[in-house]
Amino acid sequence: MKNIRHFPFPQSQRGMATLLIAMLLLGILTVVTFLALQVGIFEQRTVGAENRQRMVEQVADAGLSQAAEFIKAQTRPLTRDWMSADAATRRWALCDRGDTTWPCGAETSPNRRERLFRYQFGTDNAGTPNLDERLVFVSQTAAGGVTGIGGFTSNYAVGGLLCMVDNTDPINPACATVVDPARGWTGPVAVTLVSRSTIPGESAAGTAKVTVGSFRAINGPPNVPIIASAGIGGLGSGEIVASPNAGGFGVPLSIWANTDVDITTGGTMQSCHLGEFLTNFTASGPRPYDGITVCDTCRCNGLEIDRGLLSGKVTGGGLGSAQYEGIDVLDVDNSTAASPNGSLPDTTYFPFHPLDNPANSLDDSLFEYIFGQENSSEDSSALVDADGNGKDDGRDFMERSAIILNGGSCANLNATSTGLYYVPPGVSCRLGGQIGTPSEPIALVVEGSLDIQASTVIYGMVFVKRGIGTTPIVDVRGGMQLYGALVTEGALEIRGSPQFIYDERVLTNMAFAPGFQRFGVLPGSWSDADSF
């Protein structure tokens, strides 16, 4: 047998397999690297887009906040001056039913859209109103934009849609489209603010909207000329014109108190009906003024029982010169007050009595009765202690909602003063001249001292807020007139010869006049579903 010789494989052939495997792995790594790079770039772009989108959304929200503050500061002209028939001052125009552009398109229902007014401001060279795309504050487009995330610049503008709420049908309220151009709209309103923001040169854009609604600073006007949550120590020689039906149909009320009102001893206080008051005058007599009848020289004095006089000093009618308490005084005296009409029932309800928290004498007080705000820090629904005084006695609400008067600023009140004003503790308030008007009255809440000068005429309400352990004193020098109501927490003492003339129209205007409107964001109204 021959020997068989084996020859080994060349070294180069064994290296070829290794090379092929290495090239395969390198190819796989290359593909993985490119995929990872693509994923990284995609994620980077996604993060950048999310940042830009987050920025425009935040800028749109900032626009809503700025516009909401603007609306809150414009309660007076919002639906009065801006509803003027004058094209140069009118700032609201009805949306078209089919207008789906910004901002009218933020309302999806054509039936509701055609009853909304969009905000307009400014005119072109021909004097035609422009439908401006922003409210009157400076647009960030004109101001150079807002620097946001990553150094990008975003511009925004805010539009407004006005609904003048017609609540004639409380179940299905609608938006009114007709308004008296001379007086404007005096009812509640809702303004939907539509804010959109963009980044110049980018596709990022954001739209957000929220509705700001109006509410009254005063829950309900009082319907009695004088209300006191404790005894009345004296009424001086004052005169009161009663509210004709405050005690029920045909039952007038002049005073409402939760303790005894003693007007049968001392003093010369008198109360009477409005009709007889206006016909018992000297000199010029009654005259029309701003929608009501006023009179500088009319008096209850000299009237007789059952001929206009209700309570006070009797000068005729066979009763000599006695003083008596008539049916117009609602108090607590165990029905012993002398009256030609017989025994009078005692007060069976008064809002000073604690209801929610019997341990807290301030709970459910007259303040809550008038303003609709809790007056107790011990109540679970009480307001937040905004002023840091350790309690909430209603003062926080006043500091947020009223114009605060300090020092001698009470002296600046005049006929153009309207709305809610607050005199904090320790401040002396001296009033003189005419304050407010029948159509634009004033509500003055006094927690300091109150001094009313002679010949002062006030249209609206004076609310004397009680201090702990003090007795409010309304010091009247000479004669003054209050067309409206005087309300005091605690006892009351009146000095001088004032006239308190109940006028329902003045008090109604106090509840609905623009100066008493406040605005707040309606819960659940924020949305970013729209896109423009």
Side-chain angles (χ1 to χ4, degrees):
M1 177 180 292
K2 295 182 179 180
N3 293 330
I4 298 174
R5 187 175 182 180
H6 298 280
F7 295 95
F9 290 103
Q11 293 296 325
S12 60
Q13 291 180 345
R14 292 201 300 268
M16 181 63 69
T18 303
L19 178 62
L20 290 174
I21 294 173
M23 292 178 65
L24 179 60
L25 293 175
L26 180 61
I28 293 174
L29 291 174
T30 302
V31 172
V32 171
T33 300
F34 275 107
L35 290 175
L37 181 62
Q38 290 294 325
V39 171
I41 294 174
F42 176 77
E43 289 182 348
Q44 189 177 41
R45 289 177 177 175
T46 300
V47 171
E50 288 179 349
N51 286 342
R52 289 192 291 273
Q53 188 61 37
R54 188 180 301 113
M55 183 181 71
V56 293
E57 291 173 354
Q58 292 173 349
V59 171
D61 274 341
L64 290 181
S65 298
Q66 186 176 1
E69 293 303 315
F70 169 77
I71 290 296
K72 293 176 183 179
Q74 304 297 327
T75 57
R76 184 181 180 90
L78 184 67
T79 55
R80 177 163 296 191
D81 301 342
W82 295 354
M83 275 295 177
S84 170
D86 185 0
T89 58
R90 188 177 179 90
R91 297 189 182 182
W92 296 108
L94 271 173
C95 288
D96 292 331
R97 178 182 179 85
D99 187 358
T100 59
T101 61
W102 180 89
C104 292
E107 174 52 63
T108 57
S109 171
N111 292 333
R112 291 194 295 266
R113 185 186 303 139
E114 65 181 357
R115 305 186 70 85
L116 296 176
F117 290 81
R118 65 166 295 174
Y119 188 85
Q120 66 179 22
F121 181 61
T123 58
D124 58 19
N125 293 332
T128 303
N130 295 322
L131 292 181
D132 204 338
E133 294 186 350
R134 61 181 185 272
L135 293 176
V136 294
F137 53 76
V138 177
S139 167
Q140 289 300 326
T141 302
V146 176
T147 300
I149 300 172
F152 290 97
T153 297
S154 178
N155 300 322
Y156 74 86
V158 183
L161 296 176
L162 170 69
C163 171
M164 298 180 295
V165 182
D166 182 1
N167 52 11
T168 304
D169 182 357
I171 299 178
N172 297 301
C175 298
T177 57
V178 179
V179 62
D180 181 357
R183 295 182 59 85
W185 180 259
T186 58
V189 299
V191 181
T192 299
L193 302 171
V194 187
S195 177
R196 65 178 183 179
S197 63
T198 59
I199 297 178
E202 299 278 349
S203 59
T207 303
K209 68 178 181 179
V210 73
T211 300
V212 179
S214 67
F215 63 93
R216 295 181 296 178
I218 294 180
N219 184 48
N223 62 347
V224 182
I226 295 180
I227 304 176
S229 63
I232 296 181
L235 291 169
S237 57
E239 296 181 332
I240 307 171
V241 176
S243 175
N245 299 302
F249 182 76
V251 181
L253 284 183
S254 298
I255 301 173
W256 182 24
N258 71 335
T259 56
D260 185 28
V261 176
D262 185 7
I263 64 172
T264 61
T265 58
T268 58
M269 170 269 173
Q270 291 182 317
S271 62
C272 61
H273 291 288
L274 177 62
E276 286 74 15
F277 175 79
L278 293 176
T279 56
N280 185 29
F281 63 88
T282 61
S284 58
R287 70 183 188 280
Y289 172 59
D290 196 22
I292 70 169
T293 300
V294 299
C295 183
D296 301 329
T297 62
C298 293
R299 297 287 182 268
C300 290
N301 186 31
L303 296 174
E304 298 181 4
I305 183 64
D306 294 331
R307 295 185 180 180
L309 188 66
L310 293 171
S311 294
K313 184 179 180 180
V314 179
T315 58
L319 298 177
S321 60
Q323 293 181 343
Y324 73 94
E325 181 179 311
I327 198 172
D328 62 313
V329 178
L330 181 60
D331 61 352
V332 179
D333 53 15
N334 298 318
S335 301
T336 59
S339 170
N341 298 315
S343 298
L344 298 175
D346 286 341
T347 298
T348 57
Y349 165 76
F350 198 83
F352 181 76
H353 290 309
L355 298 177
D356 293 343
N357 186 356
N360 187 351
S361 62
L362 290 179
D363 198 27
D364 290 303
S365 67
L366 278 175
F367 185 86
E368 183 177 349
Y369 175 71
I370 298 296
F371 295 99
Q373 297 290 328
E374 286 285 356
N375 198 35
S376 166
S377 59
E378 299 175 21
D379 195 285
S380 60
S381 60
L383 296 173
V384 178
D385 180 21
D387 59 1
N389 65 351
K391 60 183 179 181
D392 185 348
D393 50 9
R395 189 176 303 165
D396 298 291
F397 170 75
M398 298 307 303
E399 291 184 350
R400 286 194 300 266
S401 303
I403 300 173
I404 301 178
L405 300 174
N406 292 304
S409 55
C410 274
N412 297 326
L413 296 176
N414 53 42
T416 63
S417 302
T418 181
L420 182 60
Y421 290 80
Y422 174 55
V423 181
V427 175
S428 298
C429 184
R430 173 172 291 186
L431 303 178
Q434 179 178 334
I435 300 174
T437 63
S439 62
E440 296 281 356
I442 188 173
L444 180 64
V445 179
V446 180
E447 201 164 356
S449 62
L450 178 61
D451 182 6
I452 304 178
Q453 301 296 295
S455 302
T456 302
V457 180
I458 304 172
Y459 295 95
M461 177 186 70
V462 175
F463 188 104
V464 182
K465 200 173 185 335
R466 76 172 190 172
I468 302 300
T470 63
T471 299
I473 296 178
V474 179
D475 192 357
V476 180
R477 300 172 184 266
M480 58 81 66
Q481 287 185 319
L482 171 60
Y483 287 86
L486 170 67
V487 183
T488 67
E489 285 186 332
L492 170 65
E493 181 178 344
I494 295 177
R495 303 169 182 171
S497 54
Q499 288 184 329
F500 302 93
I501 305 165
Y502 178 82
D503 194 289
E504 182 178 6
R505 181 170 297 185
V506 171
L507 293 173
T508 300
N509 289 338
M510 186 181 67
F512 292 100
F516 293 91
Q517 282 189 340
R518 300 295 183 269
F519 285 89
V521 174
L522 300 184
S525 65
W526 186 93
S527 173
D528 61 354
D530 300 294
S531 179
F532 293 97

